[in-house]
Structures are given as structure tokens and as C-alpha cells.
Amino acid sequence: MSQRKEARPPMILRRRTKQDDDFPLPDEIVLEILTRLPMKSLLRFRCVCQTWYSFITNPNFISTHLLCYNNNNNNNNNHDGHGYVIHMPRSPSLSQICTVASDRTFETISEFRIPFTLQYGYLQLGGSCNGILCVADYWTFATMDVYLWNPNIRKFKRLPDACLPQLPTVALGFGHDSQNNDYKVVRISWIDPKPMSPSEVQVYSLSSDSWKRVELGISWMPKFNFTLTFPFVSGHLHWMITKIEGGEGGQKTKRRCTDMILSLDVNSEKFKELDLPDEEGKCIKEGLASFKGKLALIKYGIGAQPYSTLCSIWVMTEYGVLDSWNKLCVLPIENPSNFIRTFTNYGLLLVQKLSWLVSTNSELGRNHKSVLIDPETLHEKEISNQVDFRLDLAAYMESLALLDGANVVSYLEDGAVYNK
Amino acid sequence: MANGENQNPNPNPIEATPGAAARTITLKTADGEIFEVEEAVAMEFGTVKSFFEDDAVSATKPMPLPNVSGSALSRVITYCRRSLEIRSMIPPATSEDATAAEAVQGEGDLEAEKAAKQERKEFEAEFLKDESNEDVKELILAANYLNIKELLDFLCRSVALRIQNKSVEYARKFFGIEGDYTPEEEAQIRQEYAWAFEGVDED
């Protein structure tokens, strides 16, 4: 391959003038290149010049970068065709380390140390969205500190206290308002799990840095969701409730309780009720999840044979259309202590099979297996890497989100905090 | 690749694809080189495709490419040819999304796709191995002008790979940018993410 140009003199930094061999790249191309750079490079290149600074801190760029960089078909990561999960320890005495792993092989890719001091003793992962983790630090449901944390750019923010913080929190949800490029945290709290007990919903918005109470206008009780997450699907956060109607008029009027899904539009902060799919048979427990971007319901029910459990997975194929609930599959559960964790980005179900073996010398040993099941083919694949069932899991991606903002704290590797 | 590098006005650089009657399109670069390119390859160039979609234009006259040099076009043609070959390894009616395709295809198709992916990886790794930064930039400008999306994606990815672990100075040199922050301003920006400046390649 012959070079057609003569050897060039050493490059001198000077303002570019029009020359034959001058190659300024147009802005659109510079942006295409920037969207393919990892976070660390982008944080560094903010000081290349003022134009690059404004490119990199632009919220539209941050969203585009998020999509492009995490799209495995067009980036330089070597991990072909998989996403990430992040493992979060539930108790700081267990560990202060979060690990990011491949969601196909569960091989550890990186580790992050939790940068904020945990006051209360337990961590709850509220959600993971666009590379930001919503994490709560709580103790016996009494009080709770909520943090938004982007481990990749080493920034976190402690949320201001919610209204009536002394009400115990039931659950926490986290979503992205794409219309306003804002992040919202939803907190459900209640006094105690007695029927007709008052429950509260509050919504926090990052752009206003404040909480707001939301009235639902119905009488309801939160329903236990065994997946412990509020799936964020189609711009809505979801959780299960029992709606309570009637019962005020004395003995003649009966109280009617209906189980349903409540969906919160994170943009308008308005609620909708969604019906659960109709199915005969006793339900032992159920949970909501997100399957390939769609709302899914995982139900444990009693099987035909005695002592057998079936797990059916339903997917709402068209969002908001109640007729579109479709039973994706039925999984026989050999062992009730099998533990369904979550769906990965590519729709594989992570199941942990906990079994106890009595070995030859009569010692009781644990044999925990983790498998990935494809609900569409029921094909099962065992994962060789250990997935600790005591850790919370969430889908995860890398992004620059939370770059700027009020009260966002930067920290260094050793935990020292940098204040602007 | 030696195709088209000579000044012969009638080169015949077509690698015989068995059985195919190759229609060619003639292209003329900024430095006067003439290239005869198989139609399938030339149609990868968005600019050329729209030029010839206009019926009034005769396919025999050379199409001028005033913004592209001979050496750049030669490399571009090499890339597009190989890219077409690799794509033909995958049976038709395949969606471009690898994950959707996996769910739908049979075992044989999956194998073919895997092999194609591997070929592409190896080819792309080799293609720019000995190119200088200036040559890569020239290729980017050519791919941009000729409107070849796949090549442009590949080149942008490659540049990102080249610069991702480099210093701020290196990035300025590469893009021909003069820094316009005062030393104090720059120091403050650096300090905010000081850890991002660690472990960077020496210039």
C-alpha cells in the first residue's frame, strides 16, 4: 500500500489555516467519535476545549452516548451480545463492594465500593436506570436515606428527606422521565399492614430536588411483590396493590378487594390501574418484572400433582392493553426453594436452585446452582460463576448521567470527597 | 491491493466473481485517477447510488469525486468489497439485530453468522493496522463524502479506540484543536475528575 503524500513535518499546535493537507473533521463526525468513547476518556476530554466541554456535558449527548455505548453491536467493548448486572450487598457487614458482571456468564467485570457511609445498616436497591443506581440505607423500616449513585463517574447524591420520613417505607421505585430528561424516585410508605391502613405515595424529582405527595384517590394496600422491584416499563413504574372498594355503608355493603397493578407515569406523575391476567388456580405468590422491555408477571401457583409448584410467566405484549396479557410459559419448579431472581437484558430468567445434600460422611452441604432459562424455549443453561443469592441484582449500564447537578458529590478512590 | 493505483485509463480491476456478469461504474478521483468498480460495490456509496438513480445520467461517463483522493478511494473500495463478501456469508432474510436473529434462526444459520462476525472482526483489525492517524482521518472524510454508513461507523469506532487512553494533548493534536481554556480553568476541570487522568498512555 503506497503512501501518496510526502513525509509531513512535525505537527505544530497553531490555529488551523487552509492548507491542502488540512483535515479538520466536521462536528458531526467528532460527536460520532465521542459517543463511542468510555466514560473515563470523556471526563478527561472535557478540557480539550470549550466546544468539547459543551458537547460532553450536553444532556442530549449523554442520552445518545448511553444508548450507543451500551449497544453491543457498535462499540469497542469485547463483551459481545450481553449486558451487565450489578450486585449490591444488602448488609454492609456482609460487604461494601458492588460488583458489575456480564449478564450472560456472570463473570465479574468491575467492582465498586459503596462511597457513602451507611447510617442504618441495610441497603435496598430501589432501581437502576441509565447507569444511575437508586439505593436506600435503612433500619427496621423506621427511617431511610436515599441516594442516587453513578459508580462509573464516581458521583452520588443524597436525596433530601421525604415528607413524613418517620412513616416506614414499603418500597422504592426509580425511573427516568425521558420527556424532561429528569429522574424520579417513588416511595410508598405505610403505618402498618392492617387493612384500610393509610398508605402514602411520594415522588421525588431530581430536577426540582424535592419530594411531592401524590394522591391516588382510591383506598388501597400494597401487595407483596416477591421480586422486590418496581419494573420500569414504557415510562411507567409498576407495583401491585389490593384495591378496596365499598364497606363504608355498614353491614349491608360488602367490601370488595381487587388485586391489580398500579402504574405511575413518571412524566405526568399520574396513576393508572392495570388488571392482572385472569387465571384460575390458587396463587402462592407473584411478582412483577421487566421482560425485554415489557411488563411481566411471575406467578407461583399450585400444580396438578400434590406438592408440585408451577411458575407461570405472563407478559403484557402491548403496553396498557389488558387483552394483550399473554402467558409466555409455565416452568415446573422441582424445588420450592428455587429462587427466581430477575430477567436479564436479553430476556433470560436467572434462577437459583438451592439444594442441600447429605454427603457420604453424613455432612449436610450446600449446593447452590445458578441457571439461566430462556422462557421462550425453556432451554436451561447452568452458569459456572457463582451468583450470590444474598445480593440484590439489577440490570446495569454505563453512562455519564448525573454529571452535573446541585449537591452532587464527587469522590475519589479512597473515599475522600471532592467539593467544588 | 494494487487495483487502480496506476494511471492506466482503462484498468480492469474486477476480481472475477464466478458466473456474475459484473457491470462496472467508473469513478474519477480528485487527483485524476480512474477506477472501474463493480456496480454492487459502487452502490455501497450513498453518493454514487443517488447519482446514478437519476436516469438522465449515463453510466458510462466517469463520475467525478472531487473530494476523494486515489489512495483513499482505493482503500474504501477494498473495504466495501470485503464487507460485501462477508455479508454474503450470511443467508438472506436475516435481520441485522443479532439477538433477534438468534431467536429465529436455525443452527446452521447461527453458525454462518458467527463465522461472518469472526471474519469481520479479523478483517477490521487488519485493515487499519498500519494506517497513520492522518490516513484514518482522510478515510473518514472520504467515507463521509461518499456516504458509506458502515465504513464510517467502523472508522469512528477505530478512532475512538485509538484515542480512548490518550492524553488531552494527544486528542488536541489529532483533531487539530487549540485548547482555549486558561491554565486556571483547565486545572479546575481536571481536578473535578482527577482520577480520570490517571493511567493515561504517555504521549
Side-chain angles (χ1 to χ4, degrees), chain A residues 227-295:
Chain A
T227 62
L228 302 177
T229 56
F230 281 30
F232 180 60
V233 168
S234 297
H236 291 71
L237 281 170
H238 304 82
W239 68 98
M240 290 191 299
I241 63 161
T242 308
K243 180 171 161 187
I244 303 161
E245 291 166 300
E248 297 105 18
Q251 297 125 327
K252 288 276 171 74
T253 45
K254 252 173 55 176
R255 225 177 52 200
R256 204 175 62 221
C257 296
T258 332
D259 288 347
M260 57 175 50
I261 299 172
L262 215 53
S263 104
L264 171 71
D265 179 339
V266 295
N267 171 242
S268 64
E269 295 177 15
K270 295 218 160 36
F271 284 89
K272 258 200 328 238
E273 296 169 10
L274 298 176
D275 285 329
L276 290 164
D278 245 329
E279 195 180 28
E280 290 294 313
K282 192 163 156 55
C283 170
I284 300 173
K285 61 180 177 183
E286 44 192 0
L288 294 174
S290 163
F291 171 74
K292 290 187 178 171
K294 302 205 190 290
L295 187 62

Side-chain angles (χ1 to χ4, degrees), chain B residues 89-94 101-102 104-117:
Chain B
M89 285 170 67
I90 304 172
T94 302
E102 273 167 24
V104 165
Q105 284 174 325
E107 278 299 311
D109 287 352
L110 209 55
E111 280 308 307
E113 227 197 79
K114 261 192 178 150
K117 246 185 178 165

Side-chain angles (χ1 to χ4, degrees), chain B residues 7-104:
Chain B
Q7 291 286 347
N8 184 342
N10 286 310
N12 196 6
I14 302 160
E15 286 151 13
T17 318
R23 261 185 58 187
T24 65
I25 290 185
T26 318
L27 304 170
K28 182 172 174 178
T29 65
D31 41 0
E33 273 195 53
I34 307 278
F35 287 77
E36 267 198 36
V37 187
E38 308 86 80
E39 188 178 357
V41 174
M43 288 301 149
E44 292 284 295
F45 308 173
T47 325
V48 173
K49 187 161 183 229
S50 18
F51 185 79
F52 285 105
E53 262 159 12
D54 180 1
D55 297 309
V57 175
S58 153
T60 52
K61 273 176 64 175
M63 174 185 172
L65 300 174
N67 289 356
V68 186
S69 73
S71 66
L73 187 60
S74 168
R75 299 295 283 146
V76 168
I77 290 171
T78 306
Y79 179 90
C80 291
R81 273 206 189 114
R82 191 79 184 99
S83 182
L84 274 177
E85 271 173 28
I86 293 175
R87 257 185 276 152
S88 68
M89 285 170 67
I90 304 172
T94 302
S95 94
E96 269 182 273
D97 180 333
T99 50
E102 273 167 24
V104 165

Side-chain angles (χ1 to χ4, degrees), chain B residues 41-202:
Chain B
V41 174
M43 288 301 149
E44 292 284 295
F45 308 173
T47 325
V48 173
K49 187 161 183 229
S50 18
F51 185 79
F52 285 105
E53 262 159 12
D54 180 1
D55 297 309
V57 175
S58 153
T60 52
K61 273 176 64 175
M63 174 185 172
L65 300 174
N67 289 356
V68 186
S69 73
S71 66
L73 187 60
S74 168
R75 299 295 283 146
V76 168
I77 290 171
T78 306
Y79 179 90
C80 291
R81 273 206 189 114
R82 191 79 184 99
S83 182
L84 274 177
E85 271 173 28
I86 293 175
R87 257 185 276 152
S88 68
M89 285 170 67
I90 304 172
T94 302
S95 94
E96 269 182 273
D97 180 333
T99 50
E102 273 167 24
V104 165
Q105 284 174 325
E107 278 299 311
D109 287 352
L110 209 55
E111 280 308 307
E113 227 197 79
K114 261 192 178 150
K117 246 185 178 165
Q118 186 60 22
E119 280 278 337
R120 179 168 288 283
K121 231 170 144 175
E122 286 169 9
F123 158 60
E124 288 185 346
E126 271 303 303
F127 187 74
L128 292 179
K129 207 168 66 145
D130 300 320
E131 302 275 344
S132 69
N133 287 342
E134 290 309 311
D135 286 332
V136 175
K137 287 199 298 189
E138 192 188 5
L139 281 177
I140 288 181
L141 289 169
N144 191 36
Y145 173 74
L146 293 169
N147 194 5
I148 310 171
K149 188 176 184 307
E150 191 184 54
L151 176 57
L152 200 52
D153 278 347
F154 162 58
L155 291 169
C156 289
R157 256 187 292 138
S158 306
V159 170
L161 207 54
R162 280 190 184 207
I163 67 173
Q164 72 184 27
N165 216 36
K166 299 288 190 221
S167 69
V168 171
E169 271 310 303
Y170 187 100
R172 286 181 182 144
K173 276 214 308 238
F174 186 100
F175 289 88
I177 296 171
E178 213 174 271
D180 51 3
Y181 278 113
T182 67
E184 296 80 32
E185 286 170 336
E186 189 171 322
Q188 180 161 26
I189 300 175
R190 280 182 181 247
Q191 202 185 0
E192 201 187 334
Y193 291 102
W195 55 272
F197 292 81
E198 292 160 19
V200 164
D201 291 347
E202 293 287 314

Side-chain angles (χ1 to χ4, degrees), chain A residues 1-5 8 11 13-16 21-26 28-30 32-34 36-41 43-54 69 73-76 78 80-81 104 151-155 292 346 376 402-404 410-413 418 420, chain B residues 5 7 31 33 69-71 75 96-99 102-103 117 121 130-132 134-135 137-138 140-141 144 152-153 156-161 163-169 171-181 185-186 188-200:
Chain A
M1 166 67 196
S2 67
Q3 298 295 320
R4 293 189 54 84
K5 293 178 286 301
R8 292 165 57 82
M11 186 92 70
L13 257 191
R14 63 182 188 282
R15 183 139 309 275
R16 285 275 168 179
D21 49 1
D22 215 334
F23 296 129
L25 293 180
E28 320 89 69
I29 305 259
V30 172
E32 285 291 325
I33 294 171
L34 292 179
R36 289 162 172 83
L37 285 172
M39 261 73 45
K40 191 176 170 196
S41 316
L43 292 175
R44 198 163 59 240
F45 292 158
R46 277 150 74 249
C47 53
V48 163
C49 66
Q50 293 184 22
T51 312
W52 277 39
Y53 186 93
S54 64
Y69 190 73
N73 289 327
N74 197 25
N75 65 13
N76 292 318
N78 280 325
D80 294 303
R104 273 214 202 281
N152 260 289
I153 63 171
R154 304 192 195 181
K155 280 207 138 147
K292 290 187 178 171
Y346 292 92
E376 288 168 315
L402 209 61
L403 197 59
D404 291 310
S410 275
Y411 61 93
L412 307 174
E413 189 63 50
Y418 167 75
K420 253 200 258 203
Chain B
E5 291 231 340
Q7 291 286 347
D31 41 0
E33 273 195 53
S69 73
S71 66
R75 299 295 283 146
E96 269 182 273
D97 180 333
T99 50
E102 273 167 24
K117 246 185 178 165
K121 231 170 144 175
D130 300 320
E131 302 275 344
S132 69
E134 290 309 311
D135 286 332
K137 287 199 298 189
E138 192 188 5
I140 288 181
L141 289 169
N144 191 36
L152 200 52
D153 278 347
C156 289
R157 256 187 292 138
S158 306
V159 170
L161 207 54
I163 67 173
Q164 72 184 27
N165 216 36
K166 299 288 190 221
S167 69
V168 171
E169 271 310 303
R172 286 181 182 144
K173 276 214 308 238
F174 186 100
F175 289 88
I177 296 171
E178 213 174 271
D180 51 3
Y181 278 113
E185 286 170 336
E186 189 171 322
Q188 180 161 26
I189 300 175
R190 280 182 181 247
Q191 202 185 0
E192 201 187 334
Y193 291 102
W195 55 272
F197 292 81
E198 292 160 19
V200 164

Side-chain angles (χ1 to χ4, degrees), chain A residues 87-126:
Chain A
H87 298 70
M88 173 131 327
R90 273 188 219 122
S91 161
S93 53
L94 186 67
S95 171
Q96 290 264 337
I97 308 280
C98 300
T99 38
V100 174
S102 142
D103 75 358
R104 273 214 202 281
T105 63
F106 286 83
E107 191 189 315
T108 299
I109 290 166
S110 54
E111 283 185 349
F112 298 114
R113 204 174 57 82
I114 295 168
F116 31 86
T117 337
L118 298 172
Q119 309 269 18
Y120 299 110
Y122 288 100
L123 272 187
Q124 184 186 327
L125 184 56

